[in-house]
Amino acid sequence: MIYNEEFETLPREVLESLQLKRLQQVVQRVYHTVGFYRKMFDEAGITPDDIKTLADIRKIPFTTKQDLIDNYPFGLFAVPMSSVVRLHASSGTTGRAIVVGYTKRDIDTWSELMARCFVAAGLTKNDIIHNAYGYGLFTGGLGAHYGAERLGASVIPISGGNTKRQIMILQDFGPTAICCTPSYALNLAEQGAAMGVDMRSLNLRVGLFGAEPWSEQMRDDIEDKLNLTALNIYGISEIMGPGVSMECLEDRQGMHVFEDHFVVELIHPETGDILPYGEEGELVFTTITKEAFPLIRFRTRDISRLITEPCRCGRTHIKMDRVTGRSDDMLIIRGVNVFPSQIEAVLMNIEGLEPHYQLIVDKVGSMDSLEVQVEVSEKIFSHSDEVRYLQNLERRLSEDLRDFLGVNAKVKLVEPKSLQRFEGKASRVIDTRKR
Ligand code: ADP
Ligand code: ZN
């Protein structure tokens, strides 16, 4: 099923000429309304008229998070505040919050994109959607909410937290779909089980999980524990919020970027060079329809790949691979680069370990050290030779980390349910070097 059949299946040439037209318009607009862009263009020696083809976008310099911080809070808005109907802020996972604004039309666009996501997940107005993304300044809650209403589904605006109550509502209201972070999905599964609820027999059919990196192994685990189809959804406040890209039910390999509203590029995180399709690099987005807070060539720091193969769902929009993490979350352990999500993938392949882990990075002398703390499952304690079993698990994990990722890590197995649980975005890394 496709929400906006016309725009989601445009032939590539038509889509690209639409993108060009919209790009030219937005570039004209920001040049004339936002001092920051006027200066950027002038310094680069270009004018909006230099954008004659889509590839000409490469003549424009990048916009970075630092530029947003420097213009905090409203410096990059392209409309007067009287036209702004909503403000949100990024959750500030990395440093200072960034404020984003929306006009009435921006909210309309965003609602449509989220409605497209729900339909890509197989939902209709007959569905009941349990929306456990946080409501408030964070874009997740209200973004998904408006999309669900646009679709005409029944939305439960439960927001994050109060997990016992959520479990009660999951049983009593019988939602068919759930939206939350993958780590919160696991948290719900675990607390439900602890309350004696059979979390596999709820009415849930599908989950839209995002807002943080997660692995394919985590997907399997969530699907197993909640007995639903788990889909990946990507969003970033600066560009829109949730609904920048979404997996389709038919394929589940990469998320379609809604290209009639965004131009996506992939660059080398250090050199800034455009990378060929298929290579891994940093995502860069340009919003081509946003009114209040357009962004031109915004460097997300999110690491992914672009997938150009046609999709069997019929959508013509390009896909982006699962985001492994942000370049600033990448750990460098004695010269080896590794993302927490890669460690997650390794540990989840080992039976007896749970998807609850914490990474402690430290410096011993001049050497970086990494400790992986991971919970073992309850079942282990019924094992006849428990101690040997634990030792084997520990050895196996440190071997796998070395073999698959090339990192030397100290593995520490910890008791079930002893590590922190999360209601929104998980925070996996404790870097004691930064204290
Ligand atoms: P913050 O930067 O404060 O976390 P946001 O709430 O806007 O701000 O979060 C956006 C970020 O969340 C993205 O840049 C990305 O790193 C992460 N993210 C969102 N969706 C996904 C996803 N499906 N997979 C991996 N990471 C994601
Ligand atoms: Zn598809």
Side-chain angles (χ1 to χ4, degrees):
M1 275 184 302
I2 297 181
Y3 181 78
N4 189 331
E5 185 86 38
E6 183 189 352
F7 281 90
E8 293 182 75
T9 65
L10 284 176
R12 290 296 309 177
E13 326 79 69
V14 183
L15 177 60
E16 281 162 23
S17 65
L18 176 72
Q19 283 189 310
L20 174 61
K21 194 181 91 203
R22 290 180 166 178
L23 175 67
Q24 288 169 328
Q25 284 166 353
V26 74
V27 163
Q28 285 288 354
R29 206 151 47 75
V30 296
Y31 185 75
H32 293 289
T33 53
V34 185
F36 167 82
Y37 285 111
R38 161 77 64 140
K39 189 156 163 273
M40 172 199 271
F41 275 63
D42 290 350
E43 279 172 10
I46 52 171
T47 73
D49 295 328
D50 288 318
I51 309 302
K52 299 197 173 67
T53 67
L54 261 189
D56 285 338
I57 197 173
R58 298 175 190 178
K59 295 178 177 166
I60 311 173
F62 296 115
T63 303
T64 63
K65 269 203 193 201
Q66 189 59 46
D67 295 325
L68 271 52
I69 292 168
D70 294 345
N71 289 282
Y72 176 87
F74 309 136
L76 295 186
F77 283 18
V79 298
M81 201 47 98
S82 55
S83 303
V84 172
V85 300
R86 177 97 67 82
L87 295 168
H88 277 289
S90 79
S91 38
T93 314
T94 53
R96 196 157 167 192
I98 281 157
V99 182
V100 296
Y102 304 78
T103 63
K104 179 80 184 54
R105 205 188 82 184
D106 292 337
I107 296 286
D108 271 359
T109 308
W110 187 15
S111 309
E112 175 182 331
L113 297 190
M114 269 310 303
R116 288 186 190 182
C117 295
F118 287 124
V119 172
L123 301 176
T124 69
K125 65 181 171 50
N126 298 322
D127 282 287
I128 304 179
I129 301 175
H130 183 99
N131 183 19
Y133 282 122
Y135 281 64
L137 277 178
F138 174 53
T139 50
L142 282 165
H145 183 101
Y146 273 61
E149 282 194 352
R150 168 66 67 88
L151 177 63
S154 321
V155 53
I156 308 173
I158 187 82
S159 192
N162 212 339
T163 306
K164 287 205 170 74
R165 179 150 177 247
Q166 300 226 7
I167 288 158
M168 203 180 79
I169 286 176
L170 284 168
Q171 295 176 89
D172 297 350
F173 295 12
T176 46
I178 181 167
C179 305
C180 61
T181 58
S183 49
Y184 192 57
L186 280 181
N187 192 339
L188 280 168
E190 181 180 72
Q191 291 204 39
M195 285 161 67
V197 177
D198 178 2
M199 295 298 280
R200 286 184 51 86
S201 65
L202 298 170
N203 226 0
L204 293 174
R205 191 170 83 237
V206 64
L208 288 82
F209 303 116
E212 66 183 5
W214 53 312
S215 60
E216 212 51 49
Q217 288 75 3
M218 177 80 93
R219 165 159 29 215
D220 294 342
D221 196 52
I222 294 173
E223 291 194 330
D224 180 47
K225 288 180 174 146
L226 292 175
N227 190 23
L228 48 65
T229 300
L231 296 173
N232 200 359
I233 179 169
Y234 171 87
I236 167 164
S237 313
E238 289 87 335
I239 298 306
M240 175 70 91
V244 172
S245 68
M246 171 73 195
E247 271 181 349
C248 57
L249 203 54
E250 291 85 349
D251 187 63
R252 309 213 295 154
Q253 292 182 45
M255 299 171 272
H256 290 284
V257 177
F258 296 118
E259 284 185 286
D260 49 335
H261 294 278
F262 312 111
V263 171
V264 61
E265 300 172 89
L266 198 95
I267 63 166
H268 190 290
E270 271 129 45
T271 64
D273 292 340
I274 300 281
L275 293 174
Y277 290 128
E279 279 189 30
E280 194 174 74
E282 177 181 343
L283 291 165
V284 171
F285 287 102
T286 299
T287 66
I288 50 177
T289 56
K290 244 175 30 167
E291 293 181 329
F293 187 66
L295 275 181
I296 311 292
R297 300 199 87 199
F298 178 66
R299 291 189 58 159
T300 61
R301 304 191 194 171
D302 286 330
I303 303 298
S304 180
R305 280 183 327 123
L306 293 178
I307 304 168
T308 50
E309 284 87 60
C311 188
R312 65 183 114 175
C313 71
R315 288 178 184 78
T316 50
H317 296 180
I318 199 169
K319 288 190 285 193
M320 52 180 265
D321 204 353
R322 193 174 263 301
V323 170
T324 25
R326 291 187 226 236
S327 52
D328 15 58
D329 293 340
M330 189 177 71
L331 304 172
I332 306 181
I333 306 298
R334 301 185 196 173
V336 179
N337 299 348
V338 58
F339 282 106
S341 65
Q342 294 175 298
I343 294 176
E344 173 182 301
V346 169
L347 66 87
M348 288 197 64
N349 271 331
I350 301 178
E351 204 185 337
L353 297 180
E354 290 292 308
H356 303 288
Y357 62 98
Q358 192 94 66
L359 309 175
I360 321 273
V361 183
D362 199 358
K363 226 178 179 80
V364 181
S366 62
M367 297 280 259
D368 303 312
S369 71
L370 170 66
E371 179 173 296
V372 178
Q373 298 186 353
V374 53
E375 290 181 14
V376 294
S377 63
E378 301 271 6
K379 281 179 253 161
I380 281 184
F381 300 105
S382 57
H383 218 271
S384 57
D385 196 353
E386 190 185 300
V387 176
R388 266 254 314 278
Y389 192 80
L390 285 171
Q391 283 169 345
N392 281 339
L393 268 184
E394 210 172 87
R395 204 185 55 231
R396 161 106 194 267
L397 177 55
S398 65
E399 280 172 8
D400 282 3
L401 290 170
R402 200 173 52 236
D403 294 348
F404 295 120
L405 303 176
V407 288
N408 282 304
K410 182 170 163 228
V411 170
K412 185 172 169 199
L413 302 181
V414 300
E415 301 259 321
K417 302 192 180 151
S418 61
L419 295 177
Q420 199 190 337
R421 297 292 185 264
F422 304 95
E423 292 175 348
K425 294 173 189 257
S427 125
R428 306 284 186 192
V429 182
I430 300 173
D431 195 339
T432 48
R433 295 175 302 187
K434 291 179 184 156
R435 284 210 186 128

